Every structure is written in C-alpha cells, then in structure tokens.
C-alpha cells in the first residue's frame, strides 16, 4: 500500500465519505445491536453478523472507503459478541476471510480500531454505539474531535524532526504543534465532565476486549491507539524512554494508520528533538545562545509543548485511577494494554524530559574557561 492511500483515509474529505457509507446495509441492524447488548442476546448478535458478512466477490467491488465502513460495522458486532463471553469468529467462521481481505485492502489490522469506532463512525441517527448511552456518545466525540488536530500535529512533528533546533522557525512550528495538542486537554475535560468512571468501567470497557482473528490476538478499539505517543516518539521518547513504554509503543503501532507507522519507523533510532536541543547547548549554554540566538526560543517553545502534554497525561491518569480502581474495575488494564502504573511512568518520563528543556547550567570546565585570569 502507498502513502497516498493513508492520506485519503486520514483526510477530512475521505473521513466524511466513509461516515456516509453503509456497504453492508447495516444501519438498522446497528441500531438493534444496542438492544441485543442490553439483553446479552448472543444468538441475535450472531444472526445479525451472518446477515451482514459480504462475499469476497462483493468485497472486491468495494472502494477502499467502503472497506473501512464494512470493517467498522462488522467489528462493532464482533466486539459485542466478545463482550458477552464467546470468541466471535468461531461462531461466524465465514467472516474470517472477509476480515483478512478488508485488512489487506486498507493496509490495517484485520479488525476495527479506535479510528473505526470514532473518526469513521457516522454521527447523528446513524451513529454506531454499543449501548446508546449518551455517555458513550460523549466518549466517542472526545476522541473524534482530536484526530484532525493530531493528524496536523504529526506532520508538524515531522518538520520539527528535520529542522535545526536553532532555526527561528523552530519555535514557531513548535507552538503550532502545541496548539493542536491542546485539543487533547479539551477532550479529556469533556470526558471528565460527561463520562463517569463507573459507566466506563462497568458498562463500556468490556466492549473493547481483544479478539482472535486467524490465530492473531488483536486489541479492540482503545484510547491508547490515539497517537499522542507518536508525538512523544518524535519529541523525546525515541531515546529518553524506558523499556516498558517502548514495548507499549511497539504494541500500539500496528493499530495506526499506514502513514503513522511510517513516521514511527522514521523516528525510531534517531536522536529526538529534545536530545538535539541538549546537544546544541552543550557545556557552554551562554556561548551556545550567543552563537545561535534562536536556541532559547526553541527551548522555551518545547517547554510549553511538554507542559500541555503533562497536563493531558495527568488528567488521563486521574481518570484511569478511578476507572481501574480495584473496587470498581472489571479488568486490570486498559483496552490498549496500558496499566495505571505505566500511565504514571509516562507522566514521570514526560516531566523528566521537560526538565531537559530548561536552560542547562554551564559545566565546571566551561565556567573555568570563562573565569578571568
């Protein structure tokens, strides 16, 4: 698959097209899915899936956008079946080759992801929901609202990754990135205000369980698939992380859009933006700033960006602590595989990285060099 495919799927125009599509004629069945879930009616859910599964010949006639919409609707039913106990694919074995083909056509994993559940989900009366509860709608919207900004932010992060940290434009680009990341704070505030930890932990979390597709265990739609972690990778995590977070990133990458997987590969194994800033300052901060006047504005802009990320991660950690409290939770970890302890570690890592953007103190050797004879 090509980068052009991802740009089409990730763009606002293609997203709008996908939302309108209903290649499986699933609108009415998706509304009925809420009732079946309320009554834990697995036979009705299985019957619905069997009525939806297209033939491979039909899939061959789909556009890429229609393939995305088909995966969205099949995935909602498969997640619903798993929520009530059984592995779904063995109950509807004819869906397996279709899932594999839809994954191949879209260059994504062969099941639904957070993109399908939020960004590519219709709004209004056709919105696909597991429960129909207004809290679920708020949760979907909180994710939907950030994806266009993250998409723009990731392209800015690529420019920063290729830019001289002392270039006057560097601080401008960083502030633009910060403005996009700030929407994640607004998003988490929406969740805090409208989605109770009890609803998520007791009612919704179970719909995001992993399922097995062709011998491969695949995670369900998860907030962890929202790629703030990819901005981390560019800005600091490529070389300032810890093994547990690195493993989490590797596990999250397959659920991303193809373009984002490409960015992850590009940013892994090269110095992060923060590391390049520290190296530019070296052992003589005063001299570095005299030689490179753009250095201090760049450091200050990176500090502003990291402060916003810390605010988001701190609020996310607060929600996770409540939803995964031992007295409330049904599952020990999030649907993306992250534990509360890992979320806490990521907050600590981000704070430690923010300290690196402070103007470094000169080394003893540098102070000695500047001392009058």
């Amino acid at each position: 698959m090509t980068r052009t495919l991802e740009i089409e799927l990730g763009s606002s125009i293609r997203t709008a097209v996908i939302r309108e599509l209903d290649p499986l004629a699933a609108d009415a069945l998706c509304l009925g899915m809420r009732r079946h879930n309320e009554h834990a009616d697995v036979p009705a859910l299985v019957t619905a899936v069997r009525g939806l599964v297209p033939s491979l010949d039909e899939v061959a006639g789909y556009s890429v956008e229609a393939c995305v919409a088909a995966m969205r609707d099949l995935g909602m039913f498969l997640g619903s079946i798993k929520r009530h106990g059984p592995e779904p694919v063995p109950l509807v074995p004819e869906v397996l080759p279709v899932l594999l083909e839809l994954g191949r056509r879209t260059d994504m994993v062969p099941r639904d992801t957070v993109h399908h559940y939020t960004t590519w989900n219709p709004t209004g009366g056709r919105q696909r929901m597991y429960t129909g509860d207004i809290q679920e709608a708020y949760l979907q919207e909180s994710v939907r609202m950030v994806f266009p900004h993250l998409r723009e932010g990731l392209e800015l992060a690529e420019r920063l990754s290729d830019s001289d940290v002392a270039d006057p434009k560097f601080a401008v680009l960083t502030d633009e990135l910060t403005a996009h990341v700030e929407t994640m704070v607004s998003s988490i505030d929406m969740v805090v205000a409208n989605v109770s930890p009890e609803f998520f932990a007791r009612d919704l979390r179970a719909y995001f369980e992993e399922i097995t597709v062709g011998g491969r265990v695949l995670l369900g739609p998860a907030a962890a698939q929202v790629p703030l972690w990819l901005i981390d990778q560019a800005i600091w995590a490529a070389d300032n992380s810890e093994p547990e977070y690195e493993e989490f990133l590797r596990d999250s990458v397959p659920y991303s859009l193809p373009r984002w997987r490409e960015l992850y590969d590009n940013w892994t194994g090269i110095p992060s933006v923060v590391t390049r800033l520290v190296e530019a300052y070296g052992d003589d901060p005063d001299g570095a700033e005299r030689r490179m006047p753009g250095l201090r504005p760049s450091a200050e802009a990176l500090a502003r960006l990291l402060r916003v990320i810390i605010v988001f991660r701190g609020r996310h950690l607060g929600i996770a602590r409540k939803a995964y409290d031992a007295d409330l939770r049904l599952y020990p970890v999030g649907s993306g595989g992250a534990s509360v302890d890992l979320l806490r570690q990521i907050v600590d890592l981000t704070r430690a990285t923010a300290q690196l953007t402070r103007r470094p103190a000169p080394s003893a050797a540098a102070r000695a060099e500047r001392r009058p004879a």
Side-chain angles (χ1 to χ4, degrees):
M1 294 293 172
T2 66
R3 176 173 169 175
T4 303
L5 167 61
E6 188 283 322
I7 290 174
E8 290 177 349
L9 293 182
S11 72
S12 59
I13 293 175
R14 292 302 178 219
T15 293
V17 169
I18 293 166
R19 287 178 184 171
E20 291 299 317
L21 290 173
D22 183 19
L24 306 181
D27 281 356
L29 286 174
C30 285
L31 285 174
M33 176 176 59
R34 305 176 189 183
R35 183 179 67 258
H36 300 325
N37 280 328
E38 181 181 0
H39 297 291
D41 192 343
V42 172
L45 290 166
V46 171
T47 298
V49 177
R50 286 178 174 153
L52 291 177
V53 178
S55 68
L56 289 177
D57 286 342
E58 289 173 314
V59 172
Y62 289 171
S63 65
V64 173
E65 294 86 355
C67 287
V68 172
M71 182 68 83
R72 172 196 68 208
D73 295 342
L74 290 171
M76 291 286 290
F77 279 94
L78 298 176
S80 294
I81 293 170
K82 182 61 183 285
R83 183 261 178 273
H84 303 296
E87 276 290 337
V89 175
L91 297 180
V92 194
E94 62 268 32
V95 78
L96 177 58
V98 173
L99 295 176
L100 296 175
E101 180 63 9
L102 293 174
R104 187 193 70 80
R105 290 282 307 280
T106 58
D107 195 15
M108 296 188 71
V109 293
R111 79 157 296 182
D112 57 322
T113 68
V114 73
H115 303 274
H116 299 82
Y117 180 61
T118 61
T119 306
W120 294 324
N121 196 332
T123 56
R126 295 181 57 238
Q127 185 160 326
R128 277 72 166 128
M129 301 171 67
Y130 294 112
T131 69
D133 192 295
I134 187 64
Q135 294 182 82
E136 182 180 2
Y138 273 115
L139 189 68
Q140 289 175 308
E141 180 58 28
S142 73
V143 179
R144 187 184 290 120
M145 66 186 281
V146 303
F147 265 119
H149 292 280
L150 278 177
R151 182 171 176 268
E152 294 299 322
L154 288 168
E155 297 305 320
L156 286 167
E158 183 184 38
R159 293 173 65 185
L160 286 175
S161 185
D162 292 334
S163 297
D164 184 342
V165 293
D167 189 321
K169 295 179 181 178
F170 186 94
V172 175
L173 290 173
T174 304
D175 284 336
E176 288 182 26
L177 173 56
T178 301
H180 286 294
V181 173
E182 282 175 339
T183 62
M184 295 200 67
V185 178
S186 300
S187 168
I188 206 76
D189 288 345
M190 175 187 289
V191 173
V192 171
N194 297 286
V195 183
S196 74
E198 292 80 7
F199 170 75
F200 180 80
R202 294 286 181 176
D203 296 304
L204 198 57
R205 166 65 179 83
Y207 290 100
F208 305 136
E209 269 294 87
E210 61 191 28
I211 67 173
T212 301
V213 179
R216 182 180 178 188
V217 177
L218 297 173
L219 299 173
Q225 296 164 9
V226 179
L228 179 59
W229 49 265
L230 188 49
I231 290 177
D232 285 349
Q233 188 75 354
I235 301 302
W236 63 270
D239 50 10
N240 292 287
S241 190
E242 295 289 343
E244 191 174 358
Y245 189 30
E246 292 171 358
E247 181 181 3
F248 169 77
L249 295 188
R250 288 193 296 271
D251 290 345
S252 299
V253 168
Y255 300 90
S256 294
L257 298 176
R259 167 62 174 154
W260 298 351
R261 301 199 302 266
E262 175 187 306
L263 290 175
Y264 174 81
D265 290 340
N266 291 345
W267 292 335
T268 300
I270 66 171
S272 66
V273 170
V274 166
T275 292
R276 291 194 291 111
L277 177 78
V278 172
E279 291 174 347
Y281 267 105
D283 292 330
D284 182 9
D286 290 337
E289 288 184 352
R290 284 195 299 271
R291 294 191 307 274
M292 298 174 283
L295 204 54
R296 177 174 288 218
S298 294
E300 292 171 346
L302 279 173
R304 288 191 291 272
L305 169 63
L306 289 167
R307 278 197 298 271
V308 171
I309 294 175
I310 289 168
V311 168
F312 167 79
R313 291 205 182 283
R315 294 180 188 177
H316 183 213
L317 176 60
I319 292 174
R321 279 174 170 158
K322 294 177 182 178
Y324 290 95
D325 181 87
D327 294 333
L328 184 63
R329 71 190 187 194
L330 299 178
Y331 301 89
V333 298
S335 50
S339 66
V340 172
D341 285 343
L342 177 58
L343 296 180
R344 186 183 301 111
Q345 181 186 114
I346 296 169
V347 172
D348 291 343
L349 284 169
T350 312
R351 285 177 176 152
T353 301
Q355 295 295 321
L356 296 176
T357 64
R358 293 185 176 182
R359 186 179 183 277
S363 67
R367 290 195 301 269
E369 288 178 5
R370 293 200 299 272
R371 192 175 299 131

